[in-house]
Amino acid sequence: MPPTAPTPAMRILLIEDDELLASGLQQAFAKAGYETDHLGAAEPALQALSHRRHDLAIVDIGLPGMDGLELLRRLRGRGDRIPVLVLTARDGLDDRVRGLNDGADDYLIKPFLLPELLARMQALIRRSLSAATSRLALGPLVLDVATREATLGGQPLAFTAREWDLVHLLVLNAPAVVPKRRLADSLGRWDREITDNAVEIYVSRLRAKLQGTGLEVRTVRGIGYRLDL
């Protein structure tokens, strides 16, 4: 299932010097419901991010002049917490770690598939909004992160502690796939590991509670799970 359309007011700043790629992405983002501003260099991007509110920045590392990592360092250095997704043709582990250490929220290696890019964008924006409001919403399901309470269609929905952790992680990343190992690590505690079989049990319980709501926990074989609307 393709990613659901975001709120129309969501605005993206695309910083990419490849004009052909940028044009294609702008068209795809418009179809997905985003408003997009495009710049081909880092210096004007710093100015744009100072004067106009964007919900997400997509930054190519290989920019002319100041590269994308230096732009990222300057953004974080002045306290700008805008979510940043880095695009890079560099697939080495050191390059990816460096980008995350410099303040990137996520990265995607070129060439990439458009559905994955859209899913990662939506997840980053959702995380940013939840940090600001303490509320997460996906269709009829609303999570209050501060109180760890949930409602479904306006009605209270009870979760155990681990069911809450599971649904929170799935909603936070929807519609992207969350690897089973990551779910196991998140559901575990420092004194007790969670097995893959235990994850499957919690997923089964969550599916039962969401049955008939339009929300579905889908299995992506060999990878993990995603929450679809």
Side-chain angles (χ1 to χ4, degrees), residues 131-172:
T133 66
S134 85
R135 289 169 64 85
L136 281 171
L138 186 65
L141 179 64
V142 178
L143 305 180
D144 189 316
V145 179
T147 63
R148 291 176 66 90
E149 295 175 342
T151 58
L152 190 63
Q155 299 300 313
L157 181 62
F159 289 120
T160 66
R162 284 204 171 98
E163 288 171 354
W164 166 269
D165 291 339
L166 174 62
V167 73
H168 178 224
L169 196 57
L170 289 172
V171 170
L172 198 60

Side-chain angles (χ1 to χ4, degrees), residues 157-217:
L157 181 62
F159 289 120
T160 66
R162 284 204 171 98
E163 288 171 354
W164 166 269
D165 291 339
L166 174 62
V167 73
H168 178 224
L169 196 57
L170 289 172
V171 170
L172 198 60
N173 289 277
V177 178
V178 183
K180 183 182 286 188
R181 187 68 259 162
R182 182 180 171 195
L183 289 173
D185 291 342
S186 297
L187 297 179
R189 300 293 185 266
W190 68 271
D191 59 344
R192 183 182 177 186
E193 292 186 356
I194 293 293
T195 66
D196 287 353
N197 286 340
V199 171
E200 292 172 6
I201 292 172
Y202 289 118
V203 167
S204 178
R205 291 177 182 173
L206 181 58
R207 280 179 172 145
K209 290 189 175 182
L210 296 179
Q211 188 172 8
T213 67
L215 290 163
E216 183 177 357
V217 182

Side-chain angles (χ1 to χ4, degrees), residues 1 12 29 110 132:
M1 180 181 292
I12 310 299
F29 295 166
K110 298 177 179 179

Side-chain angles (χ1 to χ4, degrees), residues 61-63 67-69 87-93 95-96 98 107-110:
I61 287 184
L63 296 170
D67 69 13
L69 293 181
L87 300 179
T88 177
R90 307 172 189 175
D91 60 358
L93 177 61
D95 292 316
R96 299 199 299 270
R98 183 183 173 199
Y107 66 86
L108 197 57
I109 297 171
K110 298 177 179 179

